[in-house]
Amino acid sequence: MTESLKGISGSMFAGKTETLLREISRAEISKKKVQVFKPIIDDRWGEKDKVRSHSGGEHQACAVKNAVDILECLDTDTQVVAIEEIQFFGPEIVSVVQALLEADIRVIFAGLSQDFRGEPFGSMPTLLALCDEIEKPTAICTEEVDGKICGADASKTQRLINGQPANFNDPIVLIGDEDEGYQARCPKHHKVPGKPIPKI
Ligand SMILES: [Zn+2]
């Protein structure tokens, strides 16, 4: 018997972490033993042992360098594993998640479905394909058009460098980057200079 897999995916500022925290809370209310993991790369809040949402919610988390470390840090009585920022783990995260499910451990993860270029992020396509349930919260597009905020559902993450859209060829992950360099955008207002147009 295997347990179920739930994915929470979306752009930055969509409330993915808040959704994950709600899932953790629900599992804990039902007296399940929960362990929370995050990749060590995510140090934007300067606290490596917590998962924190933009709205201030938080939960203790174990920060690990590699996906396989999740199995090593696993307590024998854990029933639910929650993984934050899963897109930053290497490809071995897929086998790790499958091993957890086979061990009858429910897995819930949150991750960016697309990088700032609008391309699929890391192992997210495979992980989402394996999910029994997917929740896709959206942010609000904050692009200003004629002095007004667009306000449409935002599924994209816009990276800005000195206020200008970042180029397609810029690195996908900038360590120590600030959230201020990113905005949520709808597909119409997501700009990636230098992005190749797919040839059919
Ligand atoms: Zn927009």
Side-chain angles (χ1 to χ4, degrees):
M1 207 182 94
T2 57
E3 253 296 349
S4 66
L5 177 62
K6 174 164 183 171
I8 300 157
S9 101
S11 68
M12 285 177 72
F13 312 110
K16 299 186 300 300
T17 305
E18 211 169 333
T19 308
L20 186 70
L21 288 169
R22 193 191 69 215
E23 290 287 335
I24 294 165
S25 170
R26 286 168 62 90
E28 287 179 340
I29 287 167
S30 59
K31 302 291 179 200
K32 302 276 190 202
K33 165 74 185 279
V34 183
Q35 268 188 282
V36 185
F37 295 94
K38 58 188 269 193
I40 224 155
I41 194 168
D42 174 31
D43 60 352
R44 60 188 159 153
W45 298 102
E47 294 179 56
K48 295 196 194 306
D49 58 349
K50 276 183 183 161
V51 166
R52 289 187 65 180
S53 73
H54 291 285
S55 58
E58 61 176 44
H59 193 283
Q60 291 298 120
C62 180
V64 292
K65 200 161 178 14
N66 301 303
V68 289
D69 299 335
I70 293 173
L71 300 177
E72 300 213 350
C73 297
L74 204 64
D75 295 334
T76 49
D77 57 345
T78 291
Q79 296 164 292
V80 179
V81 163
I83 308 171
E84 162 79 327
E85 300 276 22
I86 200 169
Q87 78 279 355
F88 287 132
F89 283 112
E92 68 282 0
I93 187 65
V94 175
S95 316
V96 169
V97 166
Q98 286 175 313
L100 291 167
L101 297 171
E102 286 293 338
D104 269 347
I105 295 168
R106 176 165 156 74
V107 181
I108 309 158
F109 69 82
L112 278 172
S113 46
Q114 300 172 10
D115 61 30
F116 78 93
R117 307 171 305 169
E119 301 288 323
F121 209 136
S123 297
M124 283 296 278
T126 308
L127 289 166
L128 289 170
L130 292 169
C131 278
D132 301 289
E133 188 189 349
I134 297 172
E135 196 166 335
K136 294 193 81 172
T138 53
I140 301 291
C141 178
T142 54
E143 173 75 337
E144 270 191 41
V145 185
D146 300 328
K148 285 182 185 160
I149 295 289
C150 163
D153 281 349
S155 54
K156 309 276 186 192
T157 301
Q158 178 72 54
R159 180 192 281 166
L160 299 168
I161 297 174
N162 298 324
Q164 296 302 311
N167 194 277
F168 183 82
N169 294 312
D170 283 325
I172 293 167
V173 180
L174 293 174
I175 310 288
D177 215 9
E178 296 293 328
D179 281 356
E180 285 76 34
Y182 293 93
Q183 288 179 356
R185 295 280 177 89
C186 70
K188 189 177 161 190
H189 293 127
H190 184 242
K191 298 184 186 80
V192 187
K195 180 165 177 161
I197 296 162
K199 289 197 176 71
I200 299 167

